[in-house]
Amino acid sequence: MPNLASDARVRAARLDSHGLASGLPSIAAAVRHLGAVQAQDFAASKWVLGARVRGSVAADVDAAIERREVLRSWPMRGTLHLVPAESLRDILAITGPRILQKATTTHRELGLDAEVYSAARGIAERELAGGRSLSRDELQSAWQTAGISTAGQRGYHLIWWLAHDGVLCCGPVEGRAQRFVLLDEWSPRVAPARAREETLTALFVSYLTGHGPATIQDFAWWSGLTLTDARAALADAGDRVVAFDDERFIVSVPSSSESPRASRATGRHALAAFDEYYLGYRDRGPVCDPAHAPRVVPGGNGVFQPTLVQNGRVVGLWRKAERARATSVTLDGFDGPLDPAAFTPRLREWARFWGRELGEVSALD
């Protein structure tokens, strides 16, 4: 039997690695620290970062995007993520071919072949050249005008395909969404491309920096890569990574700067839907009783709910209700009512992040 650390030790270490225990200095630093942040829900991804950068506001995320410090695209698992600008191309180089291979059947069913893709790419490059940007509707309209049908999921998959090939990415923020731009114009490459092995190892180390302790199975799930890749990354990481127990790993810290690791998780947090603290692992058991997992992801549909964390453990969900003057919040505890007063300070930070007043905080019986 493997010798595993207690769930309590895992939770304490993860609160620290996620930046939830002591905070992170900036939005760009938080994205780099975590390696990537799932961002199919753009608003939720902003609070994933805001919860870690004390005193930040939603506009700070938009500003990091406008400064090209952070990019939003589809680098892993076929899903939108926020990633450091300098990492996107290298990550796509190792994840894109695998994701596109998995999409072969879907593309065939949609009638998307190399000829259609080439035509769509040419139009996108022409329409976006010179620093221009287009909304999703505008880009699909350009394809329709040129005789390329975007019916059903065709338009989405063409955008998705172009993003995986590093042709376009999400650019200027427009309301609750972003406009599309050419990646090479919006964020030109400033460093030579890394070799595959170097990129894989760097991604593994960055994952452990912001998610450790974690297993190689956790990394393989998070990155969408194979266990063979994950094992190779572990081997290549060398002394940058150390064992936390017989299955989990963390990044090594120079002894001259190492502070004592907490053995006990403390504090309360109101985390976003899709927050990496819960989502970023294949095995989420250490932070949430598996019996409650169906409530975090109802119906197993991939839509993660906003969670409440107490002493490192996911203890419930929270829901907002927008009012004219303030936003009220309802707490839904897994094992009975939660104390509204205990979570109010964190919820007040969340409301301030969005420029809202926090109204009543109540708990379901």
Side-chain angles (χ1 to χ4, degrees):
M1 293 290 290
N3 181 22
L4 301 180
S6 68
D7 286 351
R9 281 192 62 212
V10 172
R11 290 192 292 269
R14 285 187 182 172
L15 282 178
D16 184 54
S17 68
H18 274 266
L20 291 167
S22 56
L24 297 169
S26 70
I27 297 300
V31 176
R32 291 190 182 99
H33 183 86
L34 290 166
V37 173
Q38 183 159 322
Q40 66 191 74
D41 184 325
F42 190 28
S45 70
K46 292 183 181 184
W47 177 237
V48 171
L49 299 170
R52 292 159 170 82
V53 182
R54 308 288 165 75
S56 63
V57 295
D60 293 332
V61 181
D62 296 345
I65 291 170
E66 293 288 347
R67 290 193 298 267
R68 280 70 154 174
E69 296 171 340
V70 174
L71 299 177
R72 184 165 171 252
S73 189
W74 286 263
M76 297 184 303
R77 307 194 305 276
T79 300
L80 280 160
H81 283 74
L82 291 169
V83 296
E86 65 273 14
S87 301
L88 177 59
R89 289 177 179 82
D90 291 334
I91 295 174
L92 284 172
I94 64 172
T95 62
R98 177 174 169 80
I99 295 170
L100 288 171
Q101 179 61 39
K102 288 184 174 181
T104 299
T105 299
T106 298
H107 288 174
R108 184 168 58 249
E109 292 171 348
L110 291 172
L112 299 178
D113 56 19
E115 183 178 355
V116 173
Y117 170 79
S118 178
R121 176 171 178 165
I123 293 165
E125 290 176 329
R126 183 189 70 221
E127 294 294 322
L128 294 171
R132 293 192 296 270
S133 66
L134 294 174
S135 69
R136 178 176 295 190
D137 287 346
E138 288 168 345
L139 180 54
Q140 294 192 85
S141 177
W143 285 331
Q144 284 285 159
T145 300
I148 300 174
S149 172
T150 60
Q153 290 290 305
R154 282 172 58 93
Y156 169 81
H157 272 273
L158 284 171
I159 292 171
W160 185 86
W161 193 343
L162 289 166
H164 278 92
D165 274 351
V167 177
L168 56 74
C169 68
C170 301
V173 177
E174 184 175 61
R176 302 182 66 176
Q178 289 175 268
R179 296 172 68 81
F180 290 106
V181 291
L182 293 177
L183 174 59
D184 285 345
E185 289 190 354
W186 178 257
S187 181
R189 180 183 280 280
V190 296
R194 285 174 162 174
R196 187 181 193 280
E197 294 76 11
E198 185 182 358
T199 298
L200 179 60
T201 304
L203 186 61
F204 179 59
V205 172
S206 69
Y207 171 72
L208 289 181
T209 299
H211 294 75
T215 67
I216 58 171
Q217 290 84 0
D218 290 326
F219 172 68
W221 179 87
W222 179 81
S223 64
L225 296 168
T226 66
L227 279 173
T228 298
D229 282 333
R231 293 187 182 103
L234 173 61
D236 290 342
D239 59 9
R240 284 177 286 175
V241 168
V242 296
F244 184 77
D245 58 26
D246 283 356
E247 293 185 354
R248 302 182 184 96
F249 300 90
I250 55 175
V251 292
S252 58
V253 180
S255 58
S256 59
S257 62
E258 187 172 14
S259 58
R261 295 187 184 275
S263 59
R264 182 170 174 270
T266 59
R268 297 177 178 88
H269 304 274
L271 300 184
F274 302 96
D275 193 284
E276 293 284 324
Y277 183 73
Y278 180 84
L279 176 145
Y281 307 86
R282 181 181 178 185
D283 178 11
R284 297 156 184 149
V287 303
C288 183
D289 186 331
H292 301 315
R295 296 181 64 181
V296 181
V297 190
N301 61 2
V303 180
F304 291 70
Q305 302 301 304
T307 56
L308 297 166
V309 174
Q310 181 169 281
N311 300 332
R313 188 190 299 275
V314 178
V315 295
L317 310 175
W318 59 285
R319 290 187 289 273
K320 65 176 182 175
E322 301 287 355
R323 309 298 185 196
R325 296 180 179 273
T327 302
S328 63
V329 173
T330 302
L331 313 182
D332 184 5
F334 291 153
D335 297 310
L338 296 169
D339 178 9
F343 287 95
T344 294
R346 290 298 194 191
L347 289 166
R348 191 171 287 120
E349 290 178 11
W350 164 80
R352 182 201 50 76
F353 178 83
W354 289 109
R356 297 282 296 174
E357 291 293 327
L358 181 65
E360 180 185 10
V361 180
S362 58
L364 295 177
D365 295 331

